[in-house]
């Protein structure tokens, strides 16, 4: 299998897969696309209603029951919050009656009905996910459809999802599915100014994508976590305009002392329902969370449980970058475009792990890739565990492929670095066993088919001096202009180590002059006959060029200068934050300096004071 990947995947430099141009213009959709989304949602709503009626008939219920049979559709995520872009997916939740089950009805009957529709493409069920989901495109619009079966025989048309009673007698997966909608509604209720919140969140989501820290599945921060962080800053500065909220966002969270949690309100604990809420004093698992960002709807959960020690370091470095640029903007030493400079991932490290994925066709690749991507975080955690936290990983959320190669394939990259302050000359890391364990777990995929293969390999730049003399953009241009051996010539400074289980250790000098020897394995999780490959030469293993997607000419570079929407960040604040808000920030910093358990003991009093001072309540609503 490794020989197959060596032959087909990397004869030339990888390029990002299906990366749409990110710019301010791409943050807002037009009226035509907005109308199309609404029409798609209406069609899906009719489909699930008809699906429930058909199931009611099949299950032998009476005529009156069939007449009343119903399902309701709710949206959540970026679409519900009003911050979705033109190509964003729609997160939707279907709520059905108690006798319509997720496993045998939603993932079997409804899946079968959708698979026969011409409007539906790229249908991908993910029943084993933390939140079970059915992914597909409907008339070209990406949809993530969840299902929740509540303890009611009939779902009323005006079903209220905010009531705590909807959580009675349901399993944990259903609770998590319901919470997506409940959390989105609570966020909009708890922010003092919804429009300022939306503008700020759009900006910071765009920034996070540019800086490579927007990805829940790889252990970074997902959309819900970004929304909660922005909402917290909006609460702290209720009168600030978006430009100031962006600046204060970086100031607050650069100084935040993790693992103290970020919360929009006190954690509610409903004794009648008895559901588990995030509480490190009672739940040992919660104590391991390094960056807790707590959802406001009962049962309160940590939306960032995927974050590890390695990815927290990555996120904090980007927060520090954002804070530095915002300080320079305030001093007129930089403009807003500097904040959105893309992170040069392939210039930040000298060593990488490459996860190569191959399948026989695009449909198989989509399923196989989804399974592997959902478990990449485990590879990061295993490396941290086996190296006692000294070797840290930076997963790149982008996927890559060579557009000139015809077979279905993609790859993910993970930057490797030693933990700061842990520079030990001659130290080596043997992660062959770690990779083997990861491979074994990947090989347990129940839907595996012949042709689905995987290899994990170690890539490093052997001669950094040579590498820095040629621009990455120039190398990419030469790749497309050249044929044959020309590509090999410009990649002599890059090696790919693909080592069999009986492999030898490889080492080279890093920029910190420490001997960083790292050994690894490349093998098929299903024991392919071609899984054993040895040797480190570029010609033998295949040529790899490390190019960030932002280095591709005319591809992902934003055009902030000429875009009128940039004014949402450059408007003049109508009211300065003043000494009062600065004192509040100091109070938050003091609060964050306590440990997690102490925080939980005083959070109710302190959070209540902050919310009372910063948010005006009118009845049950926040205005």
């Amino acid at each position: 299998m490794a020989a197959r990947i060596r032959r087909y995947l990397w004869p030339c430099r990888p390029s990002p897969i299906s990366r749409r141009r990110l710019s301010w213009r791409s943050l807002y959709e037009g009226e035509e696309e907005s109308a199309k989304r609404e029409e798609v949602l209406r069609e899906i709503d009719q489909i699930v209603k008809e699906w429930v009626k058909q199931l009611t008939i099949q299950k032998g219920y009476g005529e009156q029951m069939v007449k009343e049979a119903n399902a309701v559709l709710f949206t959540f995520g970026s679409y519900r919050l009003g911050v979705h872009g033109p190509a964003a997916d729609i997160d939707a939740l279907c709520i059905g009656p108690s006798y319509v089950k997720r496993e045998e009805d939603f993932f079997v009957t409804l899946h079968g009905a959708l698979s026969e529709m011409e409007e539906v493409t790229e249908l991908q069920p993910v029943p084993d996910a933390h939140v079970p989901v059915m992914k597909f495109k409907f008339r070209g619009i990406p949809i993530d459809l969840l299902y929740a079966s509540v303890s009611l025989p009939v779902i009323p048309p005006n079903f209220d999802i905010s009531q705590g009673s909807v959580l009675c007698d349901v399993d944990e997966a259903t609770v998590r599915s319901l919470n997506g909608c409940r959390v989105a509604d609570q966020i909009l209720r708890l922010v003092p100014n919804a429009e300022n919140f939306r503008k700020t969140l759009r900006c910071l989501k765009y920034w996070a994508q540019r800086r490579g820290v927007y990805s829940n599945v790889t252990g970074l921060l997902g959309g819900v976590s970004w929304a909660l962080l922005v909402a917290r800053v909006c609460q702290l500065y209720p009168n600030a305009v978006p430009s100031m909220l962006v600046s204060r966002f970086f100031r607050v969270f650069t100084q935040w002392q993790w693992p103290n949690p970020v919360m929009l309100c006190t954690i509610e604990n409903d004794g009648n329902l008895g559901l588990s809420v995030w509480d490190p004093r009672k739940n040992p698992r919660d104590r391991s969370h390094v960056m807790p960002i707590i959802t406001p709807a009962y049962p309160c959960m940590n939306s960032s449980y995927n974050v590890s020690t390695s990815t927290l370091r990555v996120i904090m470095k980007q927060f520090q970058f954002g804070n530095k640029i915002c300080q320079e903007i305030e001093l007129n030493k930089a403009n807003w475009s500097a904040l959105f400079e893309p992170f040069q991932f392939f210039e930040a490290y000298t060593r990488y792990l490459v996860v190569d994925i191959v399948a026989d066709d695009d449909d198989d690749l989509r399923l196989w890739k989804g399974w592997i991507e959902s478990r990449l975080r485990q590879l990061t955690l295993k490396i941290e565990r086996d190296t006692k936290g000294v070797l840290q990983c930076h997963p790149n959320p982008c996927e890559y492929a060579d557009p000139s190669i015809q077979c279905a394939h993609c790859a993910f990259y993970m930057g490797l670095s030693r933990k700061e302050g842990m520079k030990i000359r001659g130290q080596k890391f043997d992660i062959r066993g770690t990779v083997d364990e990861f491979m074994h777990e990947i090989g347990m995929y129940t839907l595996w088919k012949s042709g689905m293969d995987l290899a994990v390999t170690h890539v490093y730049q052997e001669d950094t001096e040579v590498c820095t003399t040629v621009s990455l953009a120039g190398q990419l241009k030469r790749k497309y202009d050249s044929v044959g051996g020309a590509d090999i010539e410009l990649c002599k400074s890059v090696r790919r180590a693909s080592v069999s289980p009986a492999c030898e250790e490889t080492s080279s000098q890093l920029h910190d002059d420490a001997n960083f020897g790292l050994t690894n394995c490349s093998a098929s999780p299903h024991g392919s006959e071609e899984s054993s490959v040895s040797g480190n030469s570029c010609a033998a293993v295949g040529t790899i060029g490390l190019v960030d997607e932002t280095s591709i000419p005319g591809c992902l570079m934003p055009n902030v200068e000429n875009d009128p929407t940039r004014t949402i960040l450059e408007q003049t604040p109508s009211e300065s934050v003043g000494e009062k808000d600065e004192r509040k920030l100091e109070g938050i910093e003091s609060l964050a300096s306590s440990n997690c358990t102490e925080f939980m003991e005083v959070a109710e009093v302190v959070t209540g004071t902050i919310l009372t001072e910063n948010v005006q309540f009118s009845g049950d609503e926040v205005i």
Side-chain angles (χ1 to χ4, degrees):
M1 178 282 191
R4 178 187 181 191
I5 287 184
R6 184 178 71 245
R7 177 181 177 185
Y8 290 107
L9 280 191
W10 305 120
C12 50
R13 189 179 313 283
S15 301
I17 282 181
S18 303
R19 300 296 294 172
R20 66 182 185 275
R21 182 182 177 88
L22 287 176
S23 68
W24 278 109
R25 294 184 181 90
S26 70
L27 300 188
Y28 295 87
E29 68 178 3
E31 293 182 2
E32 183 178 347
E33 184 169 0
S34 179
K36 182 180 179 181
R37 285 176 180 270
E38 293 175 4
E39 178 61 28
V40 164
L41 285 172
R42 281 193 292 269
E43 290 189 52
I44 295 176
D45 183 57
Q46 288 301 314
I47 290 171
V48 297
K49 282 177 165 55
E50 182 62 27
W51 164 63
V52 168
K53 283 189 178 294
Q54 290 296 327
L55 281 176
T56 307
I57 296 173
Q58 293 175 13
K59 292 177 183 287
Y61 288 93
E63 182 178 344
Q64 182 63 29
M65 193 72 164
V66 172
K67 183 179 179 180
E68 296 178 349
N70 185 37
V72 292
L73 198 68
F74 290 90
T75 60
F76 61 101
S78 62
Y79 188 82
R80 175 67 184 90
L81 293 174
V83 295
H84 61 286
D89 59 7
I90 299 178
D91 296 307
L93 169 67
C94 172
I95 297 181
S98 57
Y99 57 86
V100 177
K101 304 301 182 181
R102 180 188 299 108
E103 291 77 12
E104 58 266 31
D105 296 325
F106 180 72
F107 281 114
V108 176
T109 310
L110 182 60
H111 175 271
L114 291 174
S115 65
E116 296 176 357
M117 296 182 181
E118 293 182 358
E119 301 90 341
V120 176
T121 58
E122 300 182 17
L123 182 61
Q124 178 185 354
V126 192
D128 297 326
H130 187 66
V131 181
V133 61
M134 193 129 62
K135 296 174 176 285
F136 57 93
K137 287 186 177 180
F138 195 95
R139 300 191 189 278
I141 301 295
I143 306 291
D144 283 0
L145 183 62
L146 281 58
Y147 179 73
S149 175
V150 297
S151 56
L152 292 174
V154 177
I155 306 298
N158 59 345
F159 184 79
D160 185 1
I161 199 172
S162 65
Q163 297 298 317
S165 58
V166 303
L167 302 175
C168 292
D169 301 324
V170 296
D171 58 23
E172 290 187 8
T174 300
V175 171
R176 290 191 289 267
S177 299
L178 290 166
N179 249 19
C181 300
R182 290 161 55 82
V183 166
D185 290 344
Q186 274 289 80
I187 290 174
L188 292 175
R189 280 195 285 264
L190 290 172
V191 293
N193 186 311
E195 188 58 30
N196 285 347
F197 163 75
R198 290 189 177 101
K199 289 180 178 179
T200 307
L201 180 55
R202 280 185 185 272
C203 169
L204 285 166
K205 285 180 64 175
Y206 174 72
W207 173 86
Q209 291 167 348
R210 298 288 287 174
R211 302 302 296 177
V213 289
Y214 190 100
S215 174
N216 179 62
V217 70
T218 57
L220 298 163
L221 294 181
V224 175
S225 295
W226 286 106
L228 292 171
L229 292 179
V230 171
R232 190 69 191 99
V233 174
C234 289
Q235 288 181 335
L236 295 175
Y237 302 97
N239 299 317
V241 294
S243 58
M244 183 168 291
L245 289 170
V246 170
S247 176
R248 293 303 182 264
F249 176 92
F250 292 115
R251 180 184 297 187
V252 169
F253 293 115
T254 296
Q255 300 177 33
W256 195 269
Q257 299 298 309
W258 306 101
N260 294 318
V262 172
M263 301 188 300
L264 301 186
C265 57
T266 56
I267 293 179
E268 177 187 357
N269 198 339
D270 192 330
N272 295 326
L273 293 175
L275 297 175
S276 176
V277 299
W278 188 86
D279 189 345
R281 297 169 301 181
K282 298 179 180 178
N283 307 323
R285 183 177 59 179
D286 295 341
R287 296 171 196 164
S288 64
H289 295 170
V290 298
M291 193 182 188
I293 302 171
I294 311 304
T295 58
Y298 177 81
C300 299
M301 305 175 183
N302 178 19
S303 66
S304 54
Y305 65 92
N306 274 353
V307 175
S308 67
T309 303
S310 291
T311 52
L312 175 61
R313 175 188 62 87
V314 172
I315 295 167
M316 290 305 297
K317 280 193 173 182
Q318 294 308 317
F319 283 171
Q320 292 161 8
F321 165 83
N323 189 49
K324 176 177 177 293
I325 297 299
C326 285
Q327 290 176 349
E328 293 177 353
I329 292 171
E330 292 176 357
L331 297 174
N332 293 322
K333 294 182 179 180
N335 55 36
W336 284 107
S337 62
L339 183 64
F340 304 101
E341 285 293 325
F343 177 66
Q344 301 295 330
F345 179 80
F346 291 111
E347 294 179 4
Y349 300 94
T350 58
R351 292 177 178 272
Y352 303 86
L353 283 184
V354 186
V355 179
D356 291 325
I357 305 169
V358 174
D360 280 345
D361 54 51
D362 290 339
D363 289 337
D364 285 353
L365 179 66
R366 184 167 57 252
L367 295 171
W368 184 227
K369 179 194 68 177
W371 167 260
I372 295 171
E373 185 180 13
S374 68
R375 280 147 183 81
L376 284 179
R377 185 180 71 94
Q378 295 300 321
L379 180 57
T380 299
L381 294 174
K382 293 178 191 301
I383 291 174
E384 290 179 358
R385 178 200 66 194
D386 293 346
T387 64
K388 296 180 172 58
V390 178
L391 183 60
Q392 296 187 325
C393 300
H394 178 176
N396 188 336
C398 299
E399 59 184 88
Y400 292 80
D402 184 348
S404 66
I405 302 302
Q406 297 302 314
C407 75
H409 68 277
C410 67
F412 291 94
Y413 282 78
M414 301 174 67
L416 299 175
S417 64
R418 184 182 289 105
K419 184 178 181 181
E420 293 182 2
M422 300 294 290
K423 299 178 180 179
I424 303 176
R425 183 175 294 276
Q427 184 178 16
K428 297 182 179 181
F429 302 97
D430 187 345
I431 61 170
R432 285 173 293 184
T434 308
V435 173
D436 283 343
E437 181 182 346
F438 172 72
M439 288 285 199
H440 177 72
E441 294 179 0
I442 293 297
M444 298 172 67
Y445 183 45
T446 56
L447 300 179
W448 182 86
K449 298 179 182 179
S450 176
M452 293 181 175
D453 275 320
L454 167 71
V456 178
T457 56
H458 171 217
V459 175
Y460 63 97
Q461 300 185 36
E462 184 182 26
D463 188 344
T464 56
E465 182 176 356
V466 174
C467 286
T468 56
T469 60
V470 182
S471 70
L472 293 175
Q475 291 186 27
L476 183 71
K477 184 176 185 300
R478 288 180 59 187
K479 171 210 154 185
Y480 284 110
D481 292 344
S482 62
V483 293
D487 290 327
I488 295 178
E489 287 298 317
L490 65 85
C491 272
K492 285 185 177 179
S493 61
V494 179
R495 281 188 182 178
R496 175 176 178 180
S498 180
V499 190
S500 67
C503 55
E504 297 180 358
E505 295 183 348
T506 60
S507 64
S508 67
Q509 292 296 111
L510 275 178
H511 59 279
D512 59 6
D513 293 328
N515 189 355
F516 187 84
L518 181 145
T519 56
N520 69 332
C521 286
S522 171
S524 167
H526 294 278
S528 170
E529 294 179 358
E530 298 179 343
S531 63
S532 179
V533 179
S534 61
N536 298 323
S537 69
C538 187
V541 180
T543 304
I544 296 181
L546 302 180
V547 175
D548 186 11
E549 66 273 20
T550 55
S551 299
I552 300 175
C555 181
L556 292 178
M557 301 303 292
N559 185 9
V560 180
E561 292 292 335
N562 301 323
D563 201 300
T565 56
R566 67 198 292 259
T567 56
I568 70 168
L569 293 179
E570 294 185 338
Q571 55 187 303
T572 303
S574 58
E575 181 179 343
S576 62
V577 176
E579 296 181 357
K580 181 178 180 180
D581 284 333
E582 296 297 338
R583 287 196 301 271
K584 287 171 185 165
L585 177 58
E586 292 174 1
I588 291 298
E589 295 167 8
S590 174
L591 177 64
S593 65
S594 62
N595 63 46
C596 191
T597 303
E598 293 173 349
F599 184 97
M600 293 297 297
E601 293 173 351
V602 302
E604 182 173 356
V605 176
V606 178
T607 306
T609 303
I610 293 172
L611 289 176
T612 302
E613 293 178 357
N614 287 275
V615 184
Q616 298 178 355
F617 289 85
S618 175
D620 295 329
E621 298 292 328
V622 181
I623 59 174

